[in-house]
Amino acid sequence: MQFGKHKERSNRERILLQFITLRWEKDVRGAPFSTARNDMEKAFRLPDMLFSYDTSYGLPYHRMLILHNKNGFEKIQDKSVILKPTAKNFKLGCVLIDSKEPESETSEYDVTFTYFPECGKPIRYDKRYQPLTERAFGLTSNEYGRVVYNGRHIYQDTGEWYYELNILNMLLTEQKDPNMLIDQEPLNVYNQIEILY
């Protein structure tokens, strides 16, 4: 009896996820601070834990929160977070990642941007004036994808505005190189960028 290669392959292959949030306030909204933000790296080294963790206990991803102020960039969160092991789809920020079960020996994911209030202002609408849900791209073996979106938010306690740029890097691979996301450029890029007043 011969077993299909898909099951063997999926035990080694995993989706690597890195979710970066860059946050700033009104005092650093314009130049020269906006130039520094535009020049900031869009990917960082992955923690070793992502490659050694047994995915039957959950899928780890890299979560970073970077604060931009007059002193520069400050990492205020840099950790690995575990997603539920039984989940076939994941929601990170405003991005849904749906696992497909193809009959071929490669894994595949659908990546969709879906507007939720947590995405911030302005609201993103489709042609029928409904909150936007738009397929960004599909991801198969050894493909690197990136979703970038921004939003304006309000601190509930002070009523002051702050701004966020979110970057979700994803790569479906068997390789275990922590520098994979910084050593290459993504094949698929989806941008949902608006002017933030």
Side-chain angles (χ1 to χ4, degrees):
M1 178 186 259
Q2 187 174 12
F3 293 97
K5 292 182 182 175
H6 176 62
K7 188 152 191 169
E8 261 176 50
R9 188 176 179 91
S10 65
N11 285 336
R12 295 192 316 266
E13 187 175 67
R14 65 178 64 196
I15 186 165
L16 300 173
L17 301 168
Q18 181 179 68
F19 188 41
I20 304 160
T21 298
L22 174 61
R23 183 178 296 161
W24 66 97
E25 295 176 354
K26 284 167 50 170
D27 60 341
V28 294
R29 190 175 70 180
F33 304 104
S34 56
T35 303
R37 283 193 296 276
N38 291 337
D39 292 341
M40 190 191 87
E41 296 296 326
K42 303 284 189 287
F44 294 88
R45 188 180 195 281
L46 291 166
D48 293 331
M49 181 265 198
L50 264 61
F51 304 100
S52 59
Y53 194 83
D54 183 349
T55 55
S56 63
Y57 294 107
L59 178 70
Y61 75 95
H62 186 204
R63 178 72 175 111
M64 294 181 72
L65 176 58
I66 301 170
L67 184 64
H68 186 204
N69 56 35
K70 290 182 177 178
N71 298 322
F73 298 102
E74 178 188 356
K75 283 185 195 173
I76 56 175
Q77 187 180 79
D78 188 352
K79 64 181 183 177
S80 298
V81 180
I82 310 297
L83 297 167
K84 290 181 182 176
T86 55
K88 289 288 181 195
N89 50 29
F90 317 106
K91 178 182 176 289
L92 295 175
C94 298
V95 182
L96 301 176
I97 304 168
D98 294 311
S99 175
K100 297 167 77 175
E101 295 290 337
E103 294 179 10
S104 68
E105 60 182 57
T106 58
S107 302
E108 188 175 350
Y109 291 85
D110 265 336
V111 180
T112 305
F113 175 86
T114 301
Y115 180 84
F116 299 100
E118 69 194 62
C119 304
K121 304 285 185 185
I123 299 171
R124 318 296 157 91
Y125 293 107
D126 63 16
K127 292 176 184 174
R128 296 169 304 182
Y129 212 65
Q130 298 295 316
L132 181 66
T133 294
E134 183 172 67
R135 184 176 189 266
F137 48 78
L139 202 66
T140 59
S141 292
N142 297 311
E143 286 187 347
Y144 179 9
R146 175 178 292 153
V147 174
V148 183
Y149 65 94
N150 63 356
R152 183 182 73 242
H153 304 267
I154 296 177
Y155 289 119
Q156 294 301 317
D157 53 345
T158 64
E160 289 290 317
W161 288 353
Y162 68 95
Y163 307 89
E164 287 186 349
L165 177 71
N166 294 282
I167 303 164
L168 177 57
N169 295 311
M170 57 204 92
L171 176 63
L172 185 59
T173 185
E174 294 179 10
Q175 296 178 43
K176 295 187 175 183
D177 178 4
N179 293 317
M180 276 186 289
L181 298 180
I182 55 179
D183 287 346
Q184 58 185 313
E185 289 298 314
L187 176 68
N188 302 299
V189 178
Y190 173 87
N191 289 303
Q192 188 54 243
I193 301 295
E194 295 285 345
I195 295 172
L196 304 180
Y197 298 102

